[in-house]
Amino acid sequence: MNKKLIALAVAAAATSSSVHALEVYNDGTNTFSVGGRLAVSAKFSDGDSSLNNQSSRINFGYTHALESGWDIGTRAEWAYDALSNSSEGSHISNRLGFITADHEDFGNFTLGKAWSVHYDVTGKTDLFWIYGGDTAGNYDGISGDGGVHGTGRADDVIQYRNNFYGVQVGLQYQFQDSNLSRDEEGNISGGYDRDYGYQAMAGYDFDTGMGIIGLSGVYAETKFDDRADAKVANAVITYQYNGLNLAANYGEFRNHQSKTSNEAFKKSSFSSSSVTTDGMIRAATGVEVFGSYDINQFQILGGYNLLEDDNSKAKYSYATVGAAYFTGPIILAAEYKIDASSKTATGSDAKLDNELALLVRYNF
């Protein structure tokens, strides 16, 4: 099996969520695995506390090696609410569902709902255990997982990834999807009408002898028939040496973030120069910085997140410091989120509280 291309194809999942799976069956041609995690976090802020499900999920994977040199695989993953105490509503939701075809000479093809080409780049800073990942455009757009805009767990995509003499290349096309809702008179009252979307990324890692420096970039555009098109561009630089991992992400966005995408924006009264009639921020700039150092079973980490509306004074900004401990399948982590002068659209203090979070995660 072509391990280099398989690793590239699932790079995003591996960086952000530490893919774990138990190989249940392997006869040399067919493999079947089951994996996932159960995770909860306790959060404390301004005298309040809560216990939360922290992205628990379960997944199943299958691969089959063909005599022609192609490896065919599939993966299905669902999120579940590990703390649910009610039978009302659904406590299970779809995260991923895709088919892959991989060949050492021809590259990797993916079809379905999968981690995006965009996330192959931006996932390099989405490495916090609890916070982070919310100013780089990953999970923005009309849906909360970046699915409709194709930047996170992308809906309805076909993807191609390969590595040419060390240059990592990724292409993505997103199919048409109409999900409009109408009132009793037949007028559109919500939803969206996506025509298509596309993405392209490239990256290269330089081995300096004193660490590896990585440079990567991505451009994405989603065409709509009922609203302004969404455009996203990100550039990322990384540095890795022994247990040290540093990464910085810069992004520019058009009609991609919602006016309610974070607590500072929710407190803002935006004018039409900042927000479209559909409630999307016309132009925004984002930064995410991450750093960590691993010492045996311990990790110390820190970082910074910033998202600014380019047409007002609205700004969502915070720093994160934390530590983690790894033992067997268990991860114990603590992170402290510190507001860094977040502002509303008028420039007034958004008055966001600092927050402490404690995480317990069991990977299986």
Side-chain angles (χ1 to χ4, degrees):
M1 186 173 292
N2 185 354
K3 295 181 179 179
K4 179 184 289 186
L5 293 178
I6 288 291
L8 179 62
V10 299
T15 54
S16 73
S17 49
S18 299
V19 175
H20 291 264
L22 172 66
E23 189 173 77
V24 178
Y25 178 80
N26 187 341
D27 64 5
T29 300
N30 302 284
T31 65
F32 176 70
S33 62
V34 180
R37 70 192 192 203
L38 193 156
V40 296
S41 63
K43 296 183 178 181
F44 307 88
S45 176
D46 193 29
D48 297 326
S49 64
S50 63
L51 186 64
N52 312 275
N53 177 60
Q54 193 69 37
S55 192
S56 300
R57 78 278 304 263
I58 186 169
N59 59 69
F60 302 91
Y62 175 80
T63 61
H64 177 83
L66 301 177
E67 294 182 357
S68 60
W70 285 94
D71 293 317
I72 309 301
T74 184
R75 182 180 175 190
E77 182 172 276
W78 295 270
Y80 64 93
D81 186 352
L83 300 180
S84 172
N85 58 5
S86 172
S87 60
E88 297 180 2
S90 175
H91 303 292
I92 299 177
S93 60
N94 185 44
R95 283 176 55 89
L96 298 168
F98 57 83
I99 297 171
T100 62
D102 184 87
H103 193 282
E104 186 166 357
D105 296 326
F106 304 126
N108 177 275
F109 296 87
T110 305
L111 179 68
K113 181 175 177 64
W115 282 108
S116 68
V117 165
H118 174 268
Y119 198 76
D120 289 352
V121 175
T122 61
K124 296 170 184 176
T125 56
D126 187 16
L127 298 175
F128 298 93
W129 296 107
I130 304 163
Y131 300 111
D134 48 8
T135 61
N138 304 329
Y139 309 111
D140 290 306
I142 297 172
S143 61
D145 65 350
V148 176
H149 287 211
T151 53
R153 294 186 296 277
D155 299 340
D156 312 315
V157 294
I158 183 169
Q159 302 167 332
Y160 175 73
R161 294 175 172 91
N162 210 335
N163 190 310
F164 299 99
Y165 302 102
V167 178
Q168 303 155 19
V169 175
L171 300 173
Q172 175 176 298
Y173 178 82
Q174 192 169 26
F175 292 91
Q176 184 178 16
D177 182 35
S178 182
N179 189 26
L180 296 173
S181 57
R182 300 180 181 273
D183 59 24
E184 295 180 354
E185 298 178 354
N187 299 315
I188 296 175
S189 58
Y192 61 88
D193 190 6
R194 185 183 65 225
D195 192 11
Y196 65 93
Y198 64 88
Q199 297 180 10
M201 68 77 63
Y204 191 84
D205 294 333
F206 300 87
D207 191 345
T208 67
M210 289 293 292
I212 297 175
I213 297 176
L215 299 175
S216 57
V218 61
Y219 179 78
E221 190 164 341
T222 310
K223 299 286 188 179
F224 292 95
D225 290 333
D226 66 318
R227 63 185 64 219
D229 299 337
K231 301 177 182 180
V232 175
N234 289 81
V236 173
I237 182 171
T238 61
Y239 176 75
Q240 294 177 321
Y241 182 66
N242 292 333
L244 178 66
N245 181 27
L246 304 175
N249 184 341
Y250 174 82
E252 294 187 356
F253 316 103
R254 301 293 182 268
N255 309 309
H256 184 57
Q257 282 86 5
S258 165
K259 67 178 182 180
T260 59
S261 60
N262 58 68
E263 294 304 315
F265 285 14
K266 287 178 181 179
K267 293 186 175 183
S268 297
S269 296
F270 291 105
S271 67
S272 59
S273 63
S274 290
V275 177
T276 67
T277 55
D278 301 297
M280 307 303 289
I281 301 295
R282 295 185 185 277
T285 301
V287 172
E288 182 171 48
V289 178
F290 174 85
S292 67
Y293 186 70
D294 295 341
I295 310 170
N296 297 322
Q297 293 176 272
F298 296 89
Q299 181 188 73
I300 55 175
L301 61 93
Y304 176 71
N305 277 254
L306 168 70
L307 183 66
E308 292 182 305
D309 171 28
D310 294 347
N311 296 309
S312 77
K313 296 180 180 180
K315 178 182 72 170
Y316 180 52
S317 176
Y318 67 89
T320 304
V321 293
Y325 173 70
F326 314 97
T327 177
I330 294 287
I331 299 173
L332 305 176
E335 290 183 356
Y336 189 53
K337 181 180 179 182
I338 307 165
D339 179 56
S341 301
S342 296
K343 304 292 184 183
T344 67
T346 60
S348 62
D349 188 352
K351 298 181 180 179
L352 303 184
D353 295 327
N354 299 335
E355 188 173 75
L356 172 66
L358 305 177
L359 169 79
V360 179
R361 179 197 293 185
Y362 188 98
N363 296 313
F364 54 85

